Amino acid sequence: MKFGIVVNEGPYTHQSSDSALQFVKAALQKGHEIFRVFFYHDGVNNGTSLGVPPQDDRNLTLEWSGLAEKHGLDLVVCVAAAQRRGILDEDEMGRHGKSANNLAPGFRISGLGQLIESGIQSDRLVTFGD
Amino acid sequence: MAILHTVNKSPFERNALESCLRLAKAGSSVLLFEDGVIGAMRNTRFSEKVAQAMDDYSFYVLGPDIQARGLDNDKVIDGIQVVDYNGFVDLTTEHDTVQSWL
């Protein structure tokens, strides 16, 4: 079955990012397809490459990036939510004249249309948030 | 249409579970996870309400989130089925759609 996943909460806030990650891992293990993971609202904070959690803690951004690399996941960060929170890729950095970019590997910045498409193309849309 | 309702808030913190139980159609399923697992525990102010709602809904609770909170599967209200993440995924495929009560 094809799944669309929505993550509305940042890492280390409550549990949404962890729950979504565990759900995606279980779904992949069962042979399901993850059409897209859409990071919206504070969820875009999952996509920063600048997080440095303690070494004995899980690194959620790395986990998402690793999963994306291994399974070819499409990790989409909402552009408007990302700009507000200082999550930029190289293009956005240039467009807004900023001095740095921080989008983690495996993530890409796009718009809400990607969420709508995910809802249309997926058999199930599962939302994780606060 | 069979709907899986997911509730991730303790009934002592938010009214997500109460809203869900007020509005969900009979025959639906409810999965309690994250802090929502508190709603599956026996001997709380909400236990009776949940036990009564079991006439209309099938209840599930995510085991790993029970353990993560130092709670015990033995304390889960009789009739609520404990599932793991694989069970969570199966529940979403067995129902037509998923409604997250955030």
Side-chain angles (χ1 to χ4, degrees), chain B:
Chain B
M1 189 173 71
I3 299 182
L4 173 67
H5 298 267
T6 66
V7 175
N8 71 340
K9 294 295 177 305
S10 162
F12 291 92
E13 185 195 358
R14 306 253 193 107
N15 61 4
L17 179 59
E18 286 182 288
S19 301
C20 169
L21 297 182
R22 196 172 65 243
L23 295 167
K25 207 171 161 184
S28 303
S29 300
V30 180
L31 169 68
L32 303 167
F33 77 123
E34 298 182 356
D35 285 348
V37 302
I38 306 288
M41 294 294 126
R42 277 204 306 265
N43 302 322
T44 78
R45 190 150 55 80
F46 291 92
S47 305
E48 190 55 33
K49 190 165 192 147
V50 172
Q52 279 174 8
M54 288 168 67
D55 293 341
D56 291 325
Y57 314 112
S58 305
F59 275 86
Y60 303 87
V61 61
L62 194 66
D65 284 349
I66 294 176
Q67 277 101 57
R69 284 156 182 78
L71 299 169
D72 204 321
N73 289 6
D74 296 345
K75 296 197 171 69
V76 170
I77 295 166
D78 285 338
I80 299 184
Q81 205 180 317
V82 181
V83 297
D84 58 8
Y85 280 100
N86 286 325
F88 186 174
V89 173
D90 289 341
L91 283 171
T92 63
T93 61
E94 288 159 8
H95 293 75
D96 297 309
T97 187
V98 185
Q99 172 64 44
S100 307
W101 291 81
L102 302 177

Side-chain angles (χ1 to χ4, degrees), chain A residues 41-109:
Chain A
H41 302 295
D42 275 354
V44 300
N45 289 311
N46 286 287
T48 177
S49 60
L50 296 177
V52 190
Q55 281 187 358
D56 59 352
D57 197 355
R58 72 244 186 264
N59 186 326
L60 286 166
T61 301
L62 272 186
E63 294 228 24
W64 282 116
S65 289
L67 214 55
E69 191 182 0
K70 192 172 168 195
H71 298 279
L73 295 190
D74 188 19
L75 308 181
V76 174
V77 170
C78 169
V79 60
Q83 284 179 358
R84 286 192 180 92
R85 292 166 178 82
I87 310 291
L88 303 173
D89 63 6
E90 217 170 326
D91 284 350
E92 295 296 322
M93 176 187 81
R95 196 181 343 267
H96 299 286
K98 296 294 181 182
S99 57
N101 62 79
N102 60 344
L103 192 69
F107 289 80
R108 68 185 176 97
I109 289 184

Side-chain angles (χ1 to χ4, degrees), chain A residues 12-26:
Chain A
Y12 317 110
T13 313
H14 294 102
Q15 203 186 336
S16 304
S17 183
D18 292 273
S19 296
L21 193 72
Q22 298 306 323
F23 182 91
V24 166
K25 282 180 180 172

